[in-house]
Amino acid sequence: MPDDLAAEVLRRDRDQSGTPFGQPWPLPAWPDVPTRFVVCRDDRFFPAGFIRGLVAQRLGITPDEIGGGHLAALNHHRELADQLESYLLD
């Protein structure tokens, strides 16, 4: 990621909500909608190999893959948007 973009990310950084770690899922089951997962091949925080296995084990699907690291929405936004848009055509 370019230094200026990394600096902008850090400038806008804020704490995440702790709710998902402190409260159970509020519904009795997942909604009945198609489930997809996008893996970023260069993610060093959640390595692609680890995520592929987790997605297969927990969701029973094969994830789609794009380039980019943990912040793909920032540094590979076009590729991510194209992947998400492709789901509308399925």
Side-chain angles (χ1 to χ4, degrees):
M1 174 181 306
D3 289 342
D4 59 334
L5 184 55
E8 181 67 13
V9 169
L10 291 174
R11 189 180 75 74
R12 294 174 181 260
D13 189 36
R14 62 179 187 215
D15 290 338
Q16 292 183 341
S17 169
T19 302
F21 299 106
Q23 300 200 10
W25 175 250
L27 301 177
W30 287 106
D32 187 22
V33 296
T35 299
R36 301 291 187 103
F37 197 100
V38 178
V39 170
C40 297
R41 286 186 291 267
D42 307 310
D43 192 335
R44 293 180 296 169
F45 193 74
F46 292 113
F50 168 73
I51 292 298
R52 279 186 216 106
L54 195 63
V55 169
Q57 176 189 30
R58 294 191 179 181
L59 300 176
I61 62 174
T62 300
D64 297 305
E65 297 191 22
I66 63 171
H70 193 66
L71 299 174
L74 294 175
N75 60 17
H76 281 74
H77 57 276
R78 290 188 197 279
E79 192 174 356
L80 178 58
D82 289 346
Q83 184 64 53
L84 295 176
E85 191 173 63
S86 77
Y87 298 148
L88 296 173
L89 305 174
D90 286 348

